[in-house]
Amino acid sequence: MKDHPFWIEGETRPGRWLVTCDHATNRIPPDVNGGDLGLAPDDMRRHIAYDVGAAGVASRLAEALGAPAIFSNFSRLVIDPNRGEDDPTLLMKLYDGTIIPANRHADAAEIERRLNAHHRPYHAALARLAARRPDTVICSVHSFTPQLQSRPPRPWHIGLLYAHDARLAQPLLKIMQAEADLVVGDNAPYSGHLPGDAIARHALEEGRPNILIELRNDLIAEPATQIAWADRIAPMLARALERTNI
């Protein structure tokens, strides 16, 4: 796992769910500027480098669902696995007010090299796992920062993102919105999916039911809260899937 572009947990679990975590880590592989993007440690611990807490939630959630999980093993700042290869934000040079020094002069050849070394192996493994059953359901786990620079605070505890396939999203929204203590975003804090992103590629294009879950990262900063949220979400996902009859 140490030098691999992804890792998998529970590959032999038989459940129909597949849990994905596209932004699992802030690791910079040694082939990218010697393993250093030129950012301060505090910046590497921010949401710009990875989805804080998401990997712990995804790991526990997959275990609770009896399903495999796949995690990227490189920072989103290396090359973003949740972007299509032609997306202009595939390789960020400025993110939430922070310049990424090692990306400033990255040319097309460097982007292609990073795609081959990191982005494409992750997606090949994800595609293989998704195809292991004909009835796979994909749940992608992400986290969001409570407030972007110069932007208003985000009130949501959790957000559900979906595009034109809302078969799973609609019953899950109803289940979560019935929880009195939850502020649930309906395609918020972001709207839907980007063309060519991970869900579009592995779920929408293949007709697989899907949901992308965004958790506010201050709520899942510690292992105990990651476990608690995963244990709360897992039965909701199971109930929502039952209601779809798919």
Side-chain angles (χ1 to χ4, degrees), residues 149-160:
Q149 291 189 24
S150 304
R151 300 288 183 86
R154 292 164 160 173
W156 309 280
H157 301 117
I158 190 168
L160 300 183

Side-chain angles (χ1 to χ4, degrees), residues 21 42 63-64 67-68 91 94 129 131 146 149-150 155 168 204 217 230:
C21 191
D42 283 349
E63 182 181 10
L91 189 142
L94 174 69
L129 283 174
Q149 291 189 24
S150 304
L168 185 59
L204 298 177
N217 66 24

Side-chain angles (χ1 to χ4, degrees), residues 197-218:
D197 71 3
I199 285 289
R201 181 170 175 176
H202 300 286
L204 298 177
E205 291 178 10
E206 303 293 335
R208 295 179 178 122
N210 64 88
I211 191 67
L212 190 151
I213 294 176
E214 290 269 4
L215 285 156
R216 208 175 69 208
N217 66 24
D218 61 318

Side-chain angles (χ1 to χ4, degrees), residues 29-218:
D31 68 287
V32 178
N33 202 49
D36 185 352
L37 291 177
L39 291 175
D42 283 349
D43 278 324
M44 289 304 300
R45 288 189 286 267
R46 293 176 61 212
H47 69 98
I48 65 171
Y50 74 123
D51 280 358
V52 178
V57 175
S59 178
R60 177 71 169 202
L61 186 61
E63 182 181 10
L65 293 169
I70 183 168
F71 307 78
S72 67
N73 196 26
F74 53 94
S75 171
R76 68 196 302 167
L77 297 178
V78 169
I79 194 134
D80 195 330
N82 195 35
R83 296 293 185 273
E85 293 191 10
D86 59 351
D87 192 296
T89 63
L90 177 67
L91 189 142
M92 296 292 284
K93 301 185 179 186
L94 174 69
Y95 196 169
D96 195 22
T98 298
I99 293 171
I100 319 303
N103 289 352
R104 289 184 69 184
H105 304 295
D107 58 12
E110 174 61 11
I111 292 173
E112 183 70 11
R113 191 190 67 77
R114 295 189 197 184
L115 283 167
N116 283 329
H118 308 290
H119 190 282
R120 288 169 181 154
Y122 171 73
H123 281 282
L126 201 166
R128 177 178 59 81
L129 283 174
R132 81 198 192 288
R133 292 181 54 141
D135 60 350
T136 293
V137 181
I138 295 179
C139 176
S140 186
V141 178
H142 293 252
S143 70
F144 63 94
T145 188
Q147 185 173 11
L148 292 169
Q149 291 189 24
S150 304
R151 300 288 183 86
R154 292 164 160 173
W156 309 280
H157 301 117
I158 190 168
L160 300 183
L161 273 59
Y162 56 96
H164 58 269
D165 183 356
R167 290 175 293 172
L168 185 59
Q170 289 304 318
L172 186 58
L173 270 168
K174 291 178 181 178
I175 289 168
M176 288 190 171
Q177 288 171 342
E179 301 281 313
D181 62 330
L182 284 186
V183 180
V184 183
D186 181 352
N187 265 330
Y190 315 108
S191 178
H193 296 288
L194 297 171
D197 71 3
I199 285 289
R201 181 170 175 176
H202 300 286
L204 298 177
E205 291 178 10
E206 303 293 335
R208 295 179 178 122
N210 64 88
I211 191 67
L212 190 151
I213 294 176
E214 290 269 4
L215 285 156
R216 208 175 69 208
N217 66 24
D218 61 318

